[in-house]
Amino acid sequence: MTDTLRKVFIKTYGCQMNAYDSARMADTLAGEGFETTENADLADLVLLNTCHIREKAADKVYSDIGRLRRLKNERASVGNPLLIGVAGCVAQAEGAEMMRRAPAIDFLVGPQNYHHLPQLLAQAKAGKRPVDVDFAVDDKFSALPSPLPKAIAARGPAAFLTVQEGCDKFCSFCVVPYTRGAEMSRPLARIIAEAQRLASAGVREITLLGQNVNAYHGAGADGRPASLGRLLFALARQVPQIARLRYTTSHPCDMHDELYAAHRDLPQLMPYLHLPVQSGSDRMLHAMNRGHTRGDYLRLIERMRQVRPDIAFSSDIIVGHPGESEADFDDTLSLVEEVGYAACYSFKYSGRPGTPAAAHDDQITEAIKSERLARLQERLDAHASAFTASLVGMILPVLLERQDQRTNRLIGRSPFLIPVNVDAPSDLLGHIVAVHIRKAAPYHLSGDVAANATDILSPASHAMAQ
Ligand code: SAH
Ligand code: SF4
Ligand code: F3S
């Protein structure tokens, strides 16, 4: 009987939106009688939630499928079938071609079609190999089931909540507009309701997600589009149990007055902003179709610092975009010095099929890309070290999220997102405690619970100097 499927192993690649989607898929599959497992060997269904952003990310999926094919064959030989489903951006980008290349796959589902999982699973069990990557006309968010309080609690006190999806920006290098489709925003009331559900199941921190989160323009209570700033004010007012709010990823062209006001007025809004710049060169920003200049970007940073002086910034930077000269790269290095990022992701440009930049004839060699990346990372690490070192001796509010299985220490996050290792009893998990920061590494802090610390109920987010 095929109805003996019980356990699903979900592997998530790529961005936080994929992590959110994996949780939604687990919730959908729970309704089909599946529980999640951390062990692929025990699974009846393996779901790979894939990422197409760079070549390496997509290649990883194929090597994982190769390994799973062997497991699937072994399992078939003992009459214990394993189904393999591929979700996410590689599924969307490659569609039927992926099915031809990897015959072990039983079904494909694109990011806008996760609410169809039950039907796809039924078809896959019947031996069909369905491919569901047409952008769905029905609304996935309304159709996906709400997570049960038990599932929310199991995922810890910090949760993701997708508010916006898709992108209309078409940066020269990026696959996201093709894999996630056009920009759409969820209505404000739905987001508030989801945040309330999370809060009543014990969540203390919510990160609002969107590929272009600050382009959010969901229908507000009056039916008119509300900005991300408005949404943050509404969440702070209507879901007061949420002590911390964050949002990611923002685009420099979509910063708006209400967002600055939110950073000025809402103590719940953490003093940390991920604002990718990609390059410090105006020539490259233009070639990348980013829609802003270096000067525009620096002015945004300055304005944000005025409204929230303790704010820390992070970014994404690409080196070796087609046409990038040594002078362009120097402009990136000097921008890094000017901003002083607390953290920054940096990538070698990776040509992606179907994107305009991949067709340029002035591609940069791998050797130059590697050399520039190393030089950039050396500076980024230096800034990250300086930032974390500046926090040593402070008392910071830390939301304790999980326990390190090996050391038993608790791991939490400072307002600046940087993880903090804390010597503390496990009954403090899920609480925000004052932590005395004792040691710093470039992207990491450690400390101990400050004397007389109790749960910080007021969402105090400013660093409290000792
Ligand atoms: N929506 C976000 C991020 C999308 S992808 C934004 O607009 O900023 C995350 C990061 O991956 C990007 O910011 C970019 O730095 C990097 N990236 C995207 N496409 C890439 C490519 N083709 N090669 C290398 N890095 C890329
Ligand atoms: Fe990609 Fe640019 Fe859209 Fe970000 S803004 S998702 S980098 S196309
Ligand atoms: Fe990757 Fe898709 Fe996210 S390409 S970065 S999983 S939107």
Side-chain angles (χ1 to χ4, degrees), residues 369-382:
K369 283 191 229 174
S370 300
E371 186 268 333
R372 286 183 188 163
L373 186 69
R375 270 201 284 158
L376 174 63
Q377 288 183 339
E378 197 259 319
R379 293 311 305 147
L380 294 174
D381 288 348

Side-chain angles (χ1 to χ4, degrees), residues 13-15 17-18 50-53 89 175-176 179-180 211:
Y13 312 67
C15 63
M17 183 138 344
N18 262 11
T50 61
C51 173
H52 199 242
I53 202 80
C89 292
V175 291
V176 170
T179 63
R180 292 275 167 173
Q211 265 95 28

Side-chain angles (χ1 to χ4, degrees), residues 167-171 173-177 211-212 251 278 290:
C167 181
D168 297 339
K169 296 277 194 300
F170 292 93
C171 298
F173 49 83
C174 182
V175 291
V176 170
Q211 265 95 28
N212 251 283
H251 191 290
Q278 314 298 354
R290 289 290 288 179

Side-chain angles (χ1 to χ4, degrees), residues 15 52-55 167 169 171 173-176 210-212 249-252 274-278 290 315-319 345-352 355:
C15 63
H52 199 242
I53 202 80
R54 285 168 289 274
E55 197 176 349
C167 181
K169 296 277 194 300
C171 298
F173 49 83
C174 182
V175 291
V176 170
Q211 265 95 28
N212 251 283
T249 294
S250 296
H251 191 290
H274 184 60
L275 192 63
V277 68
Q278 314 298 354
R290 289 290 288 179
S315 187
D316 295 338
I317 291 176
I318 295 178
V319 300
Y345 297 96
S346 49
F347 311 101
K348 287 194 263 186
Y349 166 77
S350 167
R352 306 309 292 130
T355 59

Side-chain angles (χ1 to χ4, degrees), residues 226-445:
S227 70
L228 178 67
R230 268 261 297 283
L231 171 62
L232 288 162
F233 276 105
L235 280 164
R237 198 173 50 247
Q238 295 181 48
V239 202
Q241 311 92 303
I242 297 296
R244 295 177 154 197
L245 291 166
R246 305 179 186 274
Y247 58 92
T248 198
T249 294
S250 296
H251 191 290
C253 291
D254 294 312
M255 298 300 289
H256 50 276
D257 292 349
E258 282 171 314
L259 194 52
Y260 291 99
H263 277 283
R264 187 193 57 212
D265 297 343
L266 296 177
Q268 293 92 328
L269 191 51
M270 291 292 98
Y272 184 89
L273 175 60
H274 184 60
L275 192 63
V277 68
Q278 314 298 354
S279 170
S281 146
D282 279 339
R283 216 174 62 86
M284 278 301 105
L285 288 170
H286 182 71
M288 289 172 162
N289 195 30
R290 289 290 288 179
H292 65 86
T293 64
R294 170 196 179 100
D296 295 334
Y297 181 86
L298 290 171
R299 277 186 289 278
L300 301 176
I301 297 274
E302 185 47 40
R303 184 171 171 197
M304 203 41 104
R305 281 190 169 134
Q306 271 163 18
V307 297
R308 186 72 209 239
D310 63 342
I311 198 163
F313 293 96
S314 68
S315 187
D316 295 338
I317 291 176
I318 295 178
V319 300
H321 181 276
E324 187 187 69
S325 67
E326 199 52 34
D328 293 318
F329 178 64
D330 282 344
D331 286 345
T332 296
L333 290 178
S334 72
L335 179 126
V336 163
E337 297 307 317
E338 237 172 286
V339 177
Y341 291 111
C344 183
Y345 297 96
S346 49
F347 311 101
K348 287 194 263 186
Y349 166 77
S350 167
R352 306 309 292 130
T355 59
H360 286 200
D361 51 15
D362 46 2
Q363 301 291 329
I364 306 299
T365 65
E366 213 36 48
I368 292 179
K369 283 191 229 174
S370 300
E371 186 268 333
R372 286 183 188 163
L373 186 69
R375 270 201 284 158
L376 174 63
Q377 288 183 339
E378 197 259 319
R379 293 311 305 147
L380 294 174
D381 288 348
H383 281 285
S385 301
F387 181 72
T388 45
S390 75
L391 301 174
V392 173
M394 283 190 177
I395 295 176
L396 296 179
V398 172
L399 171 58
L400 297 170
E401 294 180 23
R402 61 196 171 87
Q403 186 158 33
D404 186 320
Q405 296 308 322
R406 208 171 37 86
T407 62
N408 275 344
R409 299 179 89 194
L410 304 191
I411 303 172
R413 296 219 181 240
S414 73
F416 312 109
L417 206 63
I418 296 164
V420 191
N421 265 345
V422 188
D423 274 320
S426 58
D427 57 358
L428 284 181
L429 275 175
H431 290 257
I432 298 173
V433 297
V435 172
H436 196 154
I437 303 298
R438 303 282 186 192
K439 274 206 286 201
Y443 301 94
H444 195 261
L445 296 166

